[in-house]
């Protein structure tokens, strides 16, 4: 199987460029056995929905064996499926069905840390002389017994946890039950690359790399400097989190990562596989993306957080993002997303009306780069309102009520409107299905030409119909008040103008003869070389 898959995958090594990738959070997509938790068989049963949307690939969040303290991002066996999600045979069946539908499959790899239940860590913590003693980041306490430096964990508190067996601290950038691997140690790198090989040989087309810039910590364990209040932002962690009070120079973003990513890419290349890295940095996200995607010898793409921030994407912010990216990484290939499993859904986060949400959808489809859509986004799902008693996310529990955590974006997908659980499960869902989501179910929207679901289908069809939107250059980006305009240039040329506000905006077309496209999406056609866009209006014109 592996050899044949390698040949099939390798026939289109650039499949990822301009692709639309649909993110599946497996716990909440479809439950097939009534236990209230989504699983691999459930995903397989619903792949037709994703294919009908027009996506090119799926990205499945972690389904590996795990104690689920961080719901799969704490891995205890990289090469097996957690029983709650199914079996390796179920994964093989998912792969087979995806191939039938023409969908590529990417899986989420968490290489910076494991669960404290992983056999590697159990052995490493036993004593200071065992074969895996150096597989994790261990450090001596200061003379007064306190942690070795001032590093903070994203989920709260010090990023160091005392272990009585070794009488040392171990590093954890997230939960105390998620110890960081020591990638300065060569055997750790080789073990992780073996994990990559395992899944490539099983047929996967690529990986989403969780926290890609956390793989290495400073080997000298130097303190992070303080970050002045006026330079802080809440793009990575909520404003109430003291993690934002440091400039993270030493606990992540280390130069040694570049060589490891080159080794990683060498493993991918024979399979024609691709990777997208999650760059989590509040100050230097685009610059790090440039480093990790340059030279065609590391990862193919990264997704920064510029469009995942609490602040709505305005014309000025769009212009600033592309200007910064062009300055530091003109050849970088970004992967843009508005929502994912770690952020408040963008319709709620940006307080979007239906008209505004539709315009932002078309804007996303017109951007240079690859795209990620998060399950339920195509239904126009808002953030679910989760009560404290219903919370499962340790991050939300820690910082409640100022930060309510990530559960509101992780509630089950709604397939049926006339079912209390939205057709997700015949059992008791692990997170509640909220009433406002039920009337947005797939069954309600599927046959309604005016629905958000069908708007997404048409928007993806536009991107497929015009290759310049997938592969072309993006030039002449201008921000004028709420108006953002740019050109996509390649074998054809398309002029795009978006009014990202509630007041009218006037647009003059560039010189030349232009024909309107996107009428089925609600695009306003220009007449006589100019057009007036109403609130949240947009114009798409193809050069004749």
């Amino acid at each position: 199987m592996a050899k044949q898959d390698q040949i099939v995958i390798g026939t289109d090594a650039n499949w990822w460029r301009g692709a639309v990738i649909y993110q599946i959070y497996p716990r909440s997509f479809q439950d097939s056995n009534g236990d209230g938790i989504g699983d691999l068989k459930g995903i397989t049963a619903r792949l037709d929905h994703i294919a009908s949307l027009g996506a090119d690939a799926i990205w499945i969040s972690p389904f590996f064996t795990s104690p689920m303290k961080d719901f799969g991002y704490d891995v205890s066996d990289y090469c097996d499926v957690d029983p709650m999600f199914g079996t390796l045979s179920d994964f093989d069946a998912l792969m087979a069905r995806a191939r039938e539908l023409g969908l590529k499959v990417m899986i989420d790899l968490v290489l910076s840390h494991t669960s404290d239940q992983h056999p590697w860590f159990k052995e490493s913590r036993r004593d200071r002389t065992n074969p895996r003693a150096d597989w994790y980041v261990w450090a001596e306490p200061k003379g007064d017994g306190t942690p070795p430096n001032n590093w903070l964990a994203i989920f709260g508190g010090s990023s160091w946890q005392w272990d009585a067996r070794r009488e040392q601290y171990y590093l954890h950038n997230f939960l105390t039950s998620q110890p960081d691997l020591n990638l300065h140690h060569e055997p750790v790198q080789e073990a992780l690359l073996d994990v990559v090989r395992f899944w490539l040989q099983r047929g996967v087309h690529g990986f989403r790399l969780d926290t890609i810039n956390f793989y290495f910590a400073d080997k000298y364990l130097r303190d992070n400097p303080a970050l002045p209040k006026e330079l802080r932002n809440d793009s990575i962690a909520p404003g109430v989190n003291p993690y934002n009070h440091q400039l993270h120079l030493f606990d992540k973003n280390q130069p040694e990562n570049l060589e490891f990513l080159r080794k990683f890419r060498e493993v991918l290349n024979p399979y024609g596989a691709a990777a997208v890295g999650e760059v989590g940095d509040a100050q230097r996200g685009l610059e790090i993306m440039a480093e990790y995607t340059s030279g065609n010898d590391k990862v193919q793409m990264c997704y920064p957080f510029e469009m995942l921030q609490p602040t709505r994407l305005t014309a000025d912010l769009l212009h600033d993002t592309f200007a910064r990216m062009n300055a530091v990484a003109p050849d970088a290939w970004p992967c843009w997303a508005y929502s994912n499993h770690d952020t408040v859904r963008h319709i709620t986060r940006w307080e979007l009306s239906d008209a505004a949400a539709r315009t932002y959808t078309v804007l996303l489809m017109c951007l240079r780069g690859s795209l990620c859509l998060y399950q339920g986004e195509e239904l126009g799902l808002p953030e679910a309102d989760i009560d404290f008693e219903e919370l499962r996310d340790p991050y939300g529990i820690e910082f409640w009520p100022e930060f309510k955590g990530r559960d509101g974006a992780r509630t089950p997908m709604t397939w049926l409107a006339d079912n209390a659980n939205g057709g997700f499960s015949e059992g008791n869902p692990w997170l509640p299905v909220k009433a406002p989501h039920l009337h947005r179910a797939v069954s309600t929207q599927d046959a309604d030409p005016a629905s958000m679901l069908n708007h997404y289908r048409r928007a993806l069809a536009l991107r497929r119909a015009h290759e310049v939107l997938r592969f072309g250059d993006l030039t002449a980006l201008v921000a004028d008040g709420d108006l953002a305009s740019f050109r996509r240039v390649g074998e054809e040329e398309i002029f795009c103008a978006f009014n990202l506000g509630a007041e009218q905006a006037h647009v003059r077309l560039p010189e030349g003869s232009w024909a309107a496209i996107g009428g089925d999406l609600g695009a306003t056609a220009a007449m006589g070389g100019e057009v007036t866009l109403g609130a949240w209006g947009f114009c798409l014109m193809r050069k004749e």
Side-chain angles (χ1 to χ4, degrees):
M1 178 185 70
K3 196 168 188 179
Q4 181 181 7
D5 285 344
Q6 178 173 336
I7 295 170
V8 172
I9 295 170
T11 58
D12 183 14
N14 287 316
W15 65 264
W16 52 272
R17 190 176 291 274
V20 176
I21 304 165
Y22 186 98
Q23 183 194 353
I24 296 172
Y25 191 69
R27 294 181 70 93
S28 297
F29 198 61
Q30 178 66 64
D31 172 21
S32 71
N33 61 7
D35 67 356
I37 298 171
D39 46 49
L40 296 180
K41 285 184 177 179
I43 293 173
T44 303
R46 296 294 190 183
L47 286 177
D48 293 75
H49 167 75
I50 301 169
S52 77
L53 191 63
D56 301 289
I58 59 173
W59 144 29
I60 310 174
S61 291
F63 52 83
F64 315 112
T65 308
S66 167
M68 299 293 163
K69 297 290 181 63
D70 192 24
F71 301 106
Y73 285 89
D74 49 328
V75 178
S76 56
D77 186 345
Y78 284 109
C79 296
D80 204 356
V81 175
D82 193 281
M84 74 168 54
F85 295 127
T87 65
L88 282 170
S89 294
D90 294 333
F91 180 79
D92 293 340
L94 186 158
M95 288 294 307
R97 181 58 180 151
R99 279 193 292 269
E100 290 173 0
L101 293 170
L103 291 169
K104 308 293 186 185
V105 177
M106 306 180 78
I107 64 172
D108 209 328
L109 281 186
V110 188
L111 302 182
S112 66
H113 57 268
T114 69
S115 164
D116 61 0
Q117 298 305 302
H118 197 292
W120 297 347
F121 186 71
K122 287 184 176 181
E123 183 175 359
S124 186
R125 78 188 316 181
R126 195 176 62 212
D127 55 49
R128 299 190 184 194
T129 59
N130 68 79
R132 291 195 171 90
D134 297 328
W135 279 45
Y136 291 81
V137 182
W138 294 96
E140 298 293 333
K142 290 182 178 178
D144 61 0
T146 56
N149 60 31
N150 69 346
W151 297 352
L152 298 174
I154 288 183
F155 288 173
S158 170
S159 62
W160 296 98
Q161 179 69 16
W162 180 252
D163 186 86
R165 277 155 285 200
R166 289 183 52 142
E167 294 189 44
Q168 287 180 306
Y169 285 95
Y170 66 83
L171 179 67
H172 63 92
N173 274 296
F174 299 92
L175 296 174
T176 59
S177 57
Q178 293 171 294
D180 271 54
L181 285 159
N182 176 21
L183 272 79
H184 290 288
H185 191 47
E186 195 72 24
V188 173
Q189 295 188 29
E190 285 306 312
L192 294 175
L193 293 176
D194 281 344
V195 170
V196 175
R197 294 182 184 100
F198 174 87
W199 290 105
L200 288 171
Q201 290 165 5
R202 212 155 195 107
V204 302
H205 303 87
F207 304 95
R208 180 262 189 184
L209 299 177
D210 186 64
T211 59
I212 188 175
N213 54 318
F214 284 73
Y215 289 174
F216 287 81
D218 174 48
K219 59 186 176 183
Y220 302 110
L221 304 182
R222 288 170 284 189
D223 280 349
N224 284 327
L227 185 66
K229 187 173 184 178
E230 62 272 15
L231 298 180
R232 300 172 196 163
N233 66 63
D234 55 359
S235 62
I236 302 302
V240 295
N241 191 337
Y243 186 82
N244 295 323
H245 294 213
Q246 293 184 357
L247 181 61
H248 293 274
L249 293 182
F250 298 115
D251 52 350
K252 57 184 180 181
N253 307 333
Q254 297 304 293
E256 294 92 337
N257 205 20
L258 299 177
E259 185 56 34
F260 174 72
L261 293 178
R262 291 187 182 98
K263 294 179 182 179
F264 172 81
R265 179 64 176 270
E266 288 177 0
V267 174
L268 296 192
N269 283 340
Y271 297 84
V276 54
E278 177 200 28
V279 176
D281 192 85
Q283 276 69 47
R284 296 186 60 249
L286 291 177
E287 290 80 1
I288 294 167
M289 180 180 76
E291 295 172 1
Y292 290 1
T293 60
S294 64
N296 195 33
D297 63 348
K298 296 176 282 293
V299 294
Q300 287 90 340
M301 49 188 167
C302 285
Y303 72 84
F305 280 67
E306 270 64 21
M307 296 183 190
L308 292 164
Q309 296 190 37
T311 303
R312 180 173 65 84
L313 182 66
T314 62
D316 283 338
L317 285 175
L318 180 68
H319 179 273
D320 177 66
T321 296
F322 273 84
R324 287 174 53 218
M325 186 176 70
N326 289 335
V328 300
D331 297 324
W333 195 262
C335 187
W336 303 114
Y338 293 154
S339 290
N340 65 25
H341 64 294
D342 283 334
T343 62
V344 173
R345 288 185 177 273
H346 70 277
I347 283 185
T348 299
R349 195 172 78 241
W350 294 345
E351 300 179 348
L352 300 182
S353 65
D354 182 78
R358 289 169 184 256
T359 293
Y360 274 104
T361 300
V362 180
L363 170 62
L364 185 65
M365 296 301 148
C366 291
L367 296 179
R368 176 184 178 273
S370 299
L371 314 175
C372 279
L373 305 180
Y374 178 51
Q375 66 181 49
E377 176 179 337
E378 75 276 20
L379 305 180
L381 294 185
E383 185 84 349
D385 188 11
I386 302 294
D387 296 331
F388 181 77
E389 294 74 19
E390 298 170 321
L391 277 186
R392 303 289 298 276
D393 180 17
Y395 199 8
I397 292 169
E398 175 71 21
F399 288 102
W400 181 278
E402 285 76 12
F403 172 63
K404 296 185 178 181
R406 302 165 294 179
D407 287 339
R410 297 177 174 185
T411 57
M413 184 78 169
T414 48
W415 302 100
L416 302 174
D418 58 354
N419 180 296
N421 293 336
F424 163 72
S425 175
E426 295 180 358
N428 184 33
W430 77 286
L431 282 174
V433 176
K434 295 295 185 174
H437 284 193
L438 289 175
H439 75 272
R440 294 181 172 89
V442 173
S443 63
T444 299
Q445 298 197 37
D446 192 44
D448 178 4
S451 69
M452 183 67 78
L453 173 58
N454 280 306
H455 179 74
Y456 265 80
R457 287 171 173 161
R458 290 188 292 269
L460 269 70
L462 174 79
R463 187 171 173 90
R464 278 184 174 272
H466 298 278
E467 287 198 349
V468 69
L469 296 179
R470 293 165 60 91
F471 309 121
D473 293 332
L474 189 151
T475 66
L477 175 54
V478 176
D480 182 7
D482 289 328
L483 181 68
S485 63
F486 51 87
R487 300 191 205 188
R488 297 303 310 277
V489 180
E491 292 186 1
E492 63 177 336
E493 182 173 345
I494 295 177
F495 174 74
C496 308
F498 294 87
N499 181 7
L500 302 181
E503 303 297 326
Q504 283 189 347
H506 301 283
V507 183
R508 177 166 291 279
L509 269 60
E511 293 294 327
S513 179
W514 300 86
I517 60 174
D520 60 341
L521 288 164
T524 303
M527 302 292 290
E530 59 184 50
V531 61
T532 298
L533 299 178
W536 306 108
F538 59 93
C539 173
L540 304 173
M541 305 294 291
R542 181 175 59 84
K543 196 167 190 178
E544 295 184 310

